[in-house]
Amino acid sequence: MKLSATVAAVLFAASALPAAAQVSDGKVKIGILNDQSGVYADFGGKWSVEAAKMAVEDFGGKVLDAPVEIVSADHQNKPDIASNIARQWYDTGQVDSIMELTTSSVALAVQGLSKEKKKIDIVTGAATTELTGKQCSPYGFHWVYDTNALAVGTGGALVKQGGDTWFFLTADYAFGYSLEAQVTKFVTGQGGSVAGSVRHPLSNADYSSFLLQAQSSGAKVIGLANAGLDTANAIKQASEFGIVEGGQRLAALLFTLSEVHGLGLQAAQGLSLTEGFYWDRDDDSRAFSQRFFDRTQRMPNMVHAGTYSAVTQYLKAIKAAGSDDTEKVAAKLHEMKVDDVFGRGASVGKNGRLIYDMYLMEVKKPEESTKPWDYYKVVATVPGDQAYIKPSESGCPLAQ
């Protein structure tokens, strides 16, 4: 009888253990790894960290009774630095998942390491389709835009509007190459042509020689296959050269609300661009964005809103799985629908690509803006199944 009573007591104690026992290390730790001091600091940066913290707070600060912690670091747009930070986080920092990962070369490096370590990574700040293509991972997810969606959105719209000859100013790294290739494929597929291209280094200051080549090409559209301050600087200098006044159009192939704000409507007016989120889209987006503004003094772009969504969905997946075990959580992330302020009725493909609608925007003229941060006209909605490569055609072995 004494032994039976002891066994019963042990079983009762085990059944009474808190749900946090299903969470490794007694907590869930999420790392936001991005550029916080360089060319993409406004694109994601510390604002993505705030979006992640906001998601945790809105979730209640806990999942399965375990506290949720956000840590962050600046990878300086260098894959080796990013990999070293990620390895340290995984090996000794008790980090369960890494997110944001601005810069394609960084995202590919960290996704490869995450696959090796069997950890989940959710990319919200990088563009290359390789993340869900040949270099896909069972634990890797691509949550916001990619180069194909930008090509379909911005490139497709301008060809239909008569912009059928292009010249590219391209950032000299994986993201720039991929974006130029995707837009070129789409432009030529629609009957357009490419007059030429020139590559520039990351964090370039002087675009005069590149812009003169673009101007002399006679192309109707100058495609800026770069991002962040590189795009902003190119647009400013294009204005000084009178390129738009001369009849050519500028297509900012990766430009967000943050960069438009920094540039100002006078310089940015008339730009065509594609984003996956706009703060003034509807009542829900306005309410969310106002709360974000209250803590950051800026409206969110698609990277910020996407990071909020990714963190929230990750926590929902842990709750649904009843554990933070990587295999179980990854399965739930693939299985669960996404229906939040960022992604309406969205779903995750077998290759880890979140499939959701994108929006073609035109930047307003100064006289068209009626309130602070009123920068965009939504020209068209690009359905998710058109914006993104079908998982079965992505080259990802997991989707075959």
Side-chain angles (χ1 to χ4, degrees):
M1 285 294 291
K2 188 174 290 187
L3 181 62
S4 298
T6 302
V7 171
V10 169
L11 290 174
F12 176 78
S15 67
L17 285 172
Q22 300 301 313
V23 173
S24 59
D25 308 312
K27 63 177 176 293
V28 172
K29 202 168 182 179
I30 300 168
I32 304 299
L33 184 57
N34 60 11
D35 176 9
Q36 297 180 17
S37 58
V39 66
Y40 302 133
D42 277 347
F43 179 76
K46 61 184 180 181
W47 316 117
S48 289
V49 179
E50 284 301 313
K53 290 179 178 178
M54 185 174 164
V56 171
E57 290 167 15
D58 287 351
F59 204 81
K62 292 183 177 182
V63 61
L64 301 179
D65 291 331
V68 181
E69 181 181 349
I70 298 293
V71 295
S72 68
D74 183 354
H75 60 47
Q76 303 174 46
N77 293 309
K78 296 178 180 178
D80 57 338
I81 291 177
S83 295
N84 287 338
I85 293 170
R87 189 178 297 277
Q88 182 179 7
W89 276 357
Y90 286 150
D91 290 348
T92 62
Q94 299 179 331
V95 169
D96 300 290
S97 175
I98 297 177
M99 303 187 192
E100 222 269 40
L101 297 169
T102 305
T103 311
S104 293
S105 54
V106 163
L108 289 168
V110 174
Q111 179 157 292
L113 177 64
S114 300
K115 181 179 180 180
E116 173 193 324
K117 298 289 186 180
K118 292 189 176 181
K119 298 283 190 176
I120 287 170
D121 70 278
I122 306 181
V123 177
T124 62
T128 179
T129 54
E130 282 297 294
L131 288 161
T132 51
K134 293 179 181 178
Q135 298 189 52
C136 68
S137 162
Y139 317 118
F141 299 85
H142 201 175
W143 214 253
V144 187
Y145 65 99
D146 66 21
T147 51
N148 193 79
L150 299 175
V152 172
T154 309
L158 291 183
V159 172
K160 290 177 182 177
Q161 293 173 12
D164 54 4
T165 55
W166 286 62
F167 187 97
F168 290 97
L169 267 66
T170 302
D172 193 11
Y173 71 107
F175 155 70
Y177 312 149
S178 179
L179 187 51
E180 179 186 332
Q182 293 282 354
V183 177
T184 295
K185 180 180 178 181
F186 198 82
V187 167
T188 56
Q190 297 291 312
S193 62
V194 175
S197 67
V198 63
R199 291 177 177 176
H200 68 79
L202 182 67
S203 302
N204 194 54
D206 184 4
Y207 289 87
S208 55
S209 64
F210 307 134
L211 289 167
L212 287 171
Q213 289 181 61
Q215 192 173 37
S216 63
S217 73
K220 296 177 182 177
V221 180
I222 300 173
L224 304 176
N226 47 24
L229 287 177
D230 282 336
T231 307
N233 288 334
I235 293 168
K236 286 178 184 176
Q237 292 172 38
S239 178
E240 294 168 5
F241 280 106
I243 285 177
V244 174
E245 291 86 346
Q248 290 174 297
R249 298 188 67 170
L250 292 178
L253 298 174
L254 177 52
F255 212 53
T256 73
L257 192 76
S258 300
E259 289 77 47
V260 172
H261 179 72
L263 191 58
L265 290 182
Q266 188 62 44
Q269 60 182 308
L271 278 175
S272 296
L273 57 92
T274 301
E275 279 217 58
F277 176 84
Y278 183 40
W279 75 269
D280 204 18
R281 181 186 61 200
D282 55 33
D283 288 343
D284 287 344
S285 62
R286 282 187 284 272
F288 164 79
S289 299
Q290 185 59 53
R291 291 196 299 116
F292 184 85
F293 182 88
D294 290 343
R295 65 193 291 156
T296 65
Q297 301 306 299
R298 62 179 50 225
M299 289 299 184
N301 64 18
M302 63 178 171
V303 177
H304 308 141
T307 300
Y308 175 93
S309 172
V311 171
T312 301
Q313 195 72 4
Y314 176 64
L315 296 177
K316 286 181 178 179
I318 291 174
K319 183 177 180 180
S323 167
D324 68 344
D325 175 77
T326 296
E327 299 285 355
K328 293 177 181 178
V329 174
K332 287 297 180 182
L333 283 169
H334 278 283
E335 171 189 321
M336 296 165 59
K337 295 290 184 182
V338 177
D339 193 12
D340 57 23
V341 71
F342 175 74
R344 303 292 194 196
S347 60
V348 177
K350 291 182 179 179
N351 60 345
R353 172 69 257 177
L354 180 68
I355 301 168
Y356 75 109
D357 295 346
M358 299 288 286
Y359 303 95
L360 173 67
M361 311 291 194
E362 181 180 312
V363 178
K364 291 182 175 182
K365 298 176 182 177
E367 61 269 24
E368 293 174 322
S369 179
T370 61
K371 56 190 174 183
W373 295 88
D374 177 26
Y375 297 155
Y376 289 162
K377 291 184 283 189
V378 180
V379 177
T381 299
V382 184
D385 59 358
Q386 295 178 26
Y388 297 103
I389 299 171
K390 290 181 174 60
S392 61
E393 298 173 3
S394 66
C396 173
L398 302 171
Q400 303 307 311

